[in-house]
């Protein structure tokens, strides 16, 4: 009697559970979609409000002659874009941005790679070495630039150190070539630590077995790096390249504090030229057209890198 009662109860329970109505597959799929949309909604709303909407507004402003001080807002159509074609100041700004981007990308990426490789060797004082190069990343950009403005003066710290070895340093911020080189170097040392950490994380993911097998086959350090390490960390190289190129086109504080765009227009990059048109000459319509041009340049460069990734990014092959 006791055994029968205990075995009958679970059977009855299972039978009742079997009659419980379960949600259909379509209902479960719909619920998953709703949860997914709810999770993605904040990012989508933020992108629409702070990226897409401002782009549309700026594109609309670029079709107008808008002077805040004069209180004029007149529709001019493509006149601002036609003006860009004939503006020598804009041409100089594009050329300065090109030189700045080339110098920054080459120096920043290559130096970050070298530093990451050294850190990956686990040499003595690695923690101190890593802290020394990463600390500028968290330092205020304006404070960092002001310190360098004193170091780069004619009688500043850099020339003072050069004089100890009998070298007469130039007036770094007042020569057309040296001013651009100075701005590039300041920006390199400001952000190289971030790229160094990204490369270091990628290097630590390279399987040691592959390195050991290549070493046993007689491959030297450079051959192992070129044929094994570099292909395996190529996704990180792509990420760092995109971030550095986009960052090179957005430099402003360094130019404003160090050189003010001079001497002449030698360091007047595109963002600083945009700032001059908008807030110095109060020509917001033309500045908006320059903003659209800058957006298109960044978009084209990013798409170009993304489309060509299959030719050199290992995991995309």
């Amino acid at each position: 009697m006791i055994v029968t009662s205990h075995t009958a109860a679970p059977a009855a329970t299972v039978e009742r559970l079997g009659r419980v109505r379960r949600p259909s597959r379509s209902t479960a799929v719909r619920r998953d979609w709703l949860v997914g949309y709810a999770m993605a909604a904040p990012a989508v709303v933020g992108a629409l409000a702070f990226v897409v909407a401002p782009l549309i507004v700026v594109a609309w402003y670029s079709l107008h002659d808008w002077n805040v001080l004069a209180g004029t807002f007149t529709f001019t159509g493509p006149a601002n874009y036609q003006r860009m074609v004939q503006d020598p100041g804009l041409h100089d700004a594009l050329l300065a941005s090109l030189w700045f981007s080339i110098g920054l990308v080459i120096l920043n990426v290559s130096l970050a790679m070298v530093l990451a490789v050294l850190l990956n060797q686990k040499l003595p004082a690695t923690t101190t070495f890593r802290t020394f190069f990463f600390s500028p990343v968290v330092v205020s950009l304006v404070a960092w630039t002001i310190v360098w403005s004193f170091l780069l003066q004619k009688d500043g710290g850099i020339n003072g150190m050069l004089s100890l070895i009998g070298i007469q340093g130039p007036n770094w911020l007042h020569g057309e070539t040296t001013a651009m080189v100075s701005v590039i170097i300041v920006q390199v040392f400001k952000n190289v630590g971030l790229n160094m950490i990204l490369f270091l994380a990628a290097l630590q993911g390279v399987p040691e077995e592959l390195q050991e097998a290549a070493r046993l086959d007689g491959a030297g350090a450079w051959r192992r790096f070129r044929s094994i390490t570099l292909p395996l960390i190529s996704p990180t190289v792509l990420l760092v390249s995109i971030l550095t190129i986009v960052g090179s086109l957005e430099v402003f504080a360094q130019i404003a504090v160090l050189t003010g765009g001079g001497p002449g227009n030698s360091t007047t990059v595109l963002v600083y030229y945009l700032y001059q048109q908008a807030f110095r000459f109060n020509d917001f319509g033309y500045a908006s057209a320059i903003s659209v041009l800058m957006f298109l340049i960044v978009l084209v460069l990013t798409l170009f890198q993304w489309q060509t990734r299959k030719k050199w990014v290992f995991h995309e092959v």
Side-chain angles (χ1 to χ4, degrees):
M1 295 287 294
I2 296 176
V3 174
T4 303
S5 62
H6 278 284
T7 55
T13 303
V14 172
E15 183 178 356
R16 286 196 302 272
L17 290 175
R19 293 196 298 270
V20 174
R21 183 178 180 182
R22 298 178 179 178
S24 63
R25 180 175 178 83
S26 60
T27 303
V29 171
R30 191 180 304 111
R31 184 180 303 167
D32 290 341
W33 276 96
L34 290 176
V35 171
Y37 282 128
M39 294 295 182
V44 174
V45 172
L48 291 175
F50 299 106
V51 178
V52 177
L55 282 175
I56 295 174
V57 173
V58 168
W60 173 248
Y61 288 161
S62 70
L63 301 176
H64 293 76
D65 180 10
W66 181 20
N67 190 305
V68 177
L69 293 182
T72 59
F73 188 74
T74 307
F75 181 80
T76 58
N80 285 323
Y81 295 97
Q82 294 172 353
R83 175 183 169 186
M84 289 168 56
V85 177
Q86 302 173 351
D87 184 3
L90 179 63
H91 301 163
D92 293 340
L94 289 172
L95 184 61
S97 296
L98 176 63
W99 288 119
F100 181 83
S101 298
I102 292 174
L104 180 65
V105 170
I106 293 176
L107 290 178
N108 196 317
V109 175
S110 58
L111 180 59
M113 180 71 74
V114 171
L115 295 175
V117 170
L118 291 176
L119 285 174
N120 199 44
Q121 305 303 315
K122 299 179 176 61
L123 300 173
T126 296
T127 302
T128 304
F129 184 79
R130 181 172 53 199
T131 304
F132 176 78
F133 280 97
F134 185 77
S135 56
V137 177
V138 298
V139 173
S140 168
L141 177 59
V142 175
W144 172 262
T145 308
I146 291 175
V147 171
W148 273 95
S149 68
F150 288 107
L151 294 175
L152 292 169
Q153 295 298 324
K154 185 177 182 180
D155 54 351
I158 301 296
N159 286 346
M161 289 185 290
L162 291 176
S163 64
L164 296 177
I165 56 177
I167 299 177
Q168 181 65 36
N171 195 346
W172 295 96
L173 300 178
H174 291 81
E176 292 189 1
T177 302
T178 57
M180 177 60 76
V181 172
S182 300
V183 174
I184 292 173
I185 291 176
V186 171
Q187 182 67 7
V188 166
F189 283 107
K190 179 67 175 70
N191 290 329
V192 71
L194 178 61
N195 292 341
M196 176 190 71
I197 294 299
L198 293 175
F199 281 137
L200 180 61
L203 289 172
Q204 292 177 349
V206 176
E208 184 60 31
E209 296 81 3
L210 296 178
Q211 299 280 3
E212 184 64 24
R215 191 179 297 110
L216 293 175
D217 287 339
W222 169 246
R223 181 57 185 272
R224 294 197 305 272
F225 178 80
R226 182 171 58 87
S227 301
I228 298 176
T229 304
L230 194 58
L232 290 178
I233 67 171
S234 54
T236 305
V237 176
L238 174 65
L239 172 64
V240 168
S241 300
I242 292 177
L243 293 177
T244 306
I245 290 176
V246 173
S248 69
L249 295 173
E250 298 175 350
V251 61
F252 174 79
Q254 297 88 328
I255 302 296
V257 175
L258 291 175
T259 66
N265 293 325
S266 60
T267 59
T268 302
V269 294
L270 191 59
V271 173
Y272 195 75
Y273 188 71
L274 185 157
Y275 161 79
Q276 289 178 325
Q277 296 299 318
F279 298 103
R280 184 173 297 177
F281 306 127
N282 299 301
D283 194 349
F284 285 87
Y286 188 55
S288 299
I290 298 175
S291 299
V292 173
L293 174 64
M294 181 177 173
F295 169 75
L296 293 176
I297 291 174
V298 172
L299 180 63
V300 169
L301 290 175
T302 304
L303 290 177
F304 174 77
Q305 288 183 288
W306 189 253
Q307 291 299 322
T308 58
R309 73 191 191 280
K310 293 184 179 180
K311 296 183 178 180
W312 58 278
V313 176
F314 176 74
H315 295 292
E316 296 289 344
V317 177

